[in-house]
Amino acid sequence: VDVNITREGGESKLVLKGRLDTVTAPQLQEELLPEFKDADRVILDFAEIVYVSSAGLRVLLQAEKTAQAKGAEFKITGVCPEVMEVFEMTGFTGMLNIE
Amino acid sequence: MHELNIPAKTERLYEAQAFAENLMEEAGFSPRMKNSISLVIEEIFVNIAAHAYSPAEGDVLIRLGLEDKNSVVLEFEDKGKPYNPLEEESPDVGMPAEQRDIGGLGIFLYRSIMDEVEYKYENGKNILTLKKREER
């Protein structure tokens, strides 16, 4: 997965591209979680994420928990229908801030 | 039935997925169905890779049956420790994030995606058979 990070003010935006699976999820975790240290708003641009498995869901759940513990905002944008279906099946639509 | 026998190692995951994706592509399956089957393969394959033979190593045999353009039969066979994934408790998908546990999602996903999932232990082998028919 390609991760492109831009930081402005208290906001970190991560533009992702590729697959979020068992092989790539640890990489996203390493890049995503530290962003909550300084940012009070973290946005994941999912427009070019075509595939998410449970390994990817685990990273998103951890990010959401981290955000809540810190009182930060965590938002996912541009989710494609295939990935949205996985979010819906697992109840992640009701748990994450998805735009 | 098409067959692929490979070492049960996470780094071989893409090989297992490509095996099914290529055959489904040739057979004219929809991208949506290919995506779903890829996801199911990941969830099962990485589970076998992580637990079946650990700390030793072994193979997994994957069978793929494409009866027509709408239906898929998938079978996973390993000679690891007896393990029935269908006995795992399903996660409560209605829980808020702070109460959500991190486990069980993979099994829950493939049970949701597939129409039928059966497990048996036979002749020292774990055999998981899954079926899905696509509505058109």
Side-chain angles (χ1 to χ4, degrees):
Chain A
V1 63
D2 290 338
V3 183
N4 204 324
I5 308 180
T6 49
R7 301 180 186 93
E8 212 185 305
E11 180 180 300
S12 291
K13 187 175 180 182
L14 290 80
V15 180
L16 311 181
K17 190 176 176 177
R19 297 164 73 91
L20 202 47
D21 58 24
T22 305
V23 179
T24 61
Q27 178 207 338
L28 177 64
Q29 176 164 345
E30 259 174 52
E31 304 207 46
L32 171 59
L33 296 185
E35 290 303 314
F36 288 98
K37 230 185 284 171
D38 296 318
D40 40 41
R41 195 173 141 90
V42 176
I43 299 170
L44 278 190
D45 183 334
F46 249 55
E48 294 196 65
I49 287 289
V50 294
Y51 175 102
V52 174
S53 72
S54 66
L57 294 177
R58 271 180 223 119
V59 175
L60 300 179
L61 179 60
Q62 260 186 304
E64 177 62 26
K65 285 180 171 177
T66 308
Q68 285 183 12
K70 278 209 54 189
E73 189 188 342
F74 176 53
K75 193 164 79 174
I76 302 174
T77 64
V79 180
C80 74
E82 286 85 0
V83 172
M84 192 59 98
E85 208 177 320
V86 173
F87 285 164
E88 278 164 5
M89 242 185 277
T90 49
F92 271 55
T93 35
M95 214 174 59
L96 301 176
N97 185 356
I98 299 168
E99 202 169 72
Chain B
M1 281 278 211
H2 305 275
E3 288 189 357
L4 175 74
N5 191 72
I6 53 171
K9 289 175 167 227
T10 303
E11 57 262 38
R12 305 297 287 267
L13 167 64
Y14 292 160
E15 218 174 305
Q17 289 177 316
F19 157 72
E21 278 174 24
N22 293 338
L23 288 166
M24 290 178 75
E25 173 86 43
E26 279 168 32
F29 279 82
S30 71
R32 190 166 176 267
M33 187 74 156
K34 278 189 290 179
N35 214 8
S36 294
I37 296 301
S38 261
L39 180 54
V40 170
I41 289 176
E42 172 174 342
E43 301 300 350
I44 298 169
F45 186 85
V46 300
N47 247 322
I48 294 173
H51 305 295
Y53 300 99
S54 170
E57 290 179 359
D59 287 356
V60 57
L61 175 65
I62 305 173
R63 292 197 186 88
L64 182 74
L66 307 174
E67 283 155 33
D68 52 60
K69 272 182 204 167
N70 300 321
S71 79
V72 173
V73 180
L74 246 185
E75 200 163 84
F76 290 79
E77 207 178 278
D78 68 73
K79 295 175 187 151
K81 290 164 242 175
Y83 169 65
N84 181 358
L86 307 184
E87 283 173 0
E88 298 284 345
E89 227 174 279
S90 290
D92 182 348
V93 295
M95 293 266 254
E98 65 268 24
Q99 289 165 38
R100 276 292 282 269
D101 194 8
I102 239 134
L105 273 176
I107 296 170
F108 177 81
L109 262 179
Y110 69 72
R111 293 186 76 171
S112 306
I113 291 169
M114 303 304 283
D115 299 326
E116 285 173 51
V117 185
E118 276 170 36
Y119 168 84
K120 61 184 174 191
Y121 189 76
E122 227 173 61
N123 304 320
K125 292 172 190 162
N126 290 297
I127 303 168
L128 192 65
T129 309
L130 310 97
K131 292 178 188 163
K132 183 173 175 67
R133 180 161 255 296
E134 187 171 37
E135 310 90 40
R136 301 223 161 191

